[in-house]
């Protein structure tokens, strides 16, 4: 039953995935390049802004070195939009029954969101083995993921929500964790100021957390 395309091969060793909110299309390509230059070439661009889809199209067209994921996918219609914008993988913050089916049928690697054991079981029944755990810190954090490792031994997680340099290493040391995601790598002020050198530096620091 587990024949769905997996997300983990796209990581190629990466263990930190920046979660990006891009307000201005012109930031997209320099941002993606700055992150890749720091060693983070697997990224999630969230569909939380007007500019998001155009930002993704620009990254997909101009940054072949970047593995582009599209996140905050909330509706089946957005799955098609994300695919058309060049998504190599999809991320959802949580999973309705309708979205669970639609993402399973998308043909793309997906990290569907789950925060409870029941949601995790529902996704397992559909064939998913790799999930986003969101909002990680608010939903129980590392202790929660340690607790589910016994009963749900087949599952691997990408926790996001409240993760930063202070707690990422502990998450990454836990066996059922593939990678962590978060927005800390791209401070809003640095992006607004066009300080891409600072973003490369933060990316390099974050990439080192996973080594
Ligand atoms: C997400 O969608 O994964 C989160 O918004 C990232 O959470 P953070 O901003 O706490 O890193």
């Amino acid at each position: 039953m587990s024949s769905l395309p997996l997300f983990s091969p796209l990581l190629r060793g990466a263990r930190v995935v920046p979660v990006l909110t891009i307000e201005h299309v012109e930031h997209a390509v320099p941002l993606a390049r700055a992150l890749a230059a720091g060693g983070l070439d697997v990224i999630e661009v969230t569909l939380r802004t007007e500019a998001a889809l155009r930002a993704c199209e620009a990254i997909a067209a101009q940054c072949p070195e970047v593995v582009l994921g599209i996140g905050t996918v909330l509706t089946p219609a957005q799955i098609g939009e994300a695919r058309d914008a060049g998504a190599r993988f999809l991320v959802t913050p949580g999973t309705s029954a309708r979205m669970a089916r639609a993402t399973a049928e998308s043909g793309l690697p997906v990290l569907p969101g789950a925060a409870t054991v029941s949601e995790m079981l529902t996704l397992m029944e559909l064939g998913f083995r790799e999930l986003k755990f969101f909002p990680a810190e608010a939903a129980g954090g590392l202790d929660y993921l340690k607790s589910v490792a016994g009963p749900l031994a087949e599952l691997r997680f990408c926790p996001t929500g409240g993760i930063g340099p202070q707690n990422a290493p502990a998450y990454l040391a836990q066996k059922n964790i593939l990678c962590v995601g978060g927005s800390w790598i791209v401070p809003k002020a640095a992006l607004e100021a066009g300080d891409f050198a600072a973003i490369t530096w933060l990316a390099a620091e974050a990439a080192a957390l996973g080594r």
Side-chain angles (χ1 to χ4, degrees), residues 19 44 46 48 72 132 134 160-163 181-184:
V19 177
E44 175 190 333
T46 60
R48 296 181 197 171
T72 318
K132 166 163 167 148
F134 176 79
T160 80
I163 295 181
S183 63
W184 86 89

Side-chain angles (χ1 to χ4, degrees), residues 31-112:
L31 173 58
R33 288 185 178 147
L35 291 165
L40 300 183
D41 58 2
V42 183
I43 66 173
E44 175 190 333
V45 177
T46 60
L47 295 183
R48 296 181 197 171
T49 64
E50 285 261 320
L53 282 172
R54 281 176 295 132
C56 291
E57 285 165 7
I59 293 167
Q62 296 176 56
C63 306
E65 74 277 26
V66 169
V67 177
L68 171 68
I70 298 188
T72 318
V73 177
L74 303 179
T75 66
Q78 286 179 319
I79 295 174
E81 290 171 358
R83 180 189 287 105
D84 292 348
R88 306 262 309 271
F89 67 95
L90 306 175
V91 187
T92 75
T95 312
S96 66
R98 191 168 74 122
M99 277 300 280
R101 280 192 303 276
T103 51
E105 288 164 7
S106 72
L108 285 170
V110 184
L111 280 176

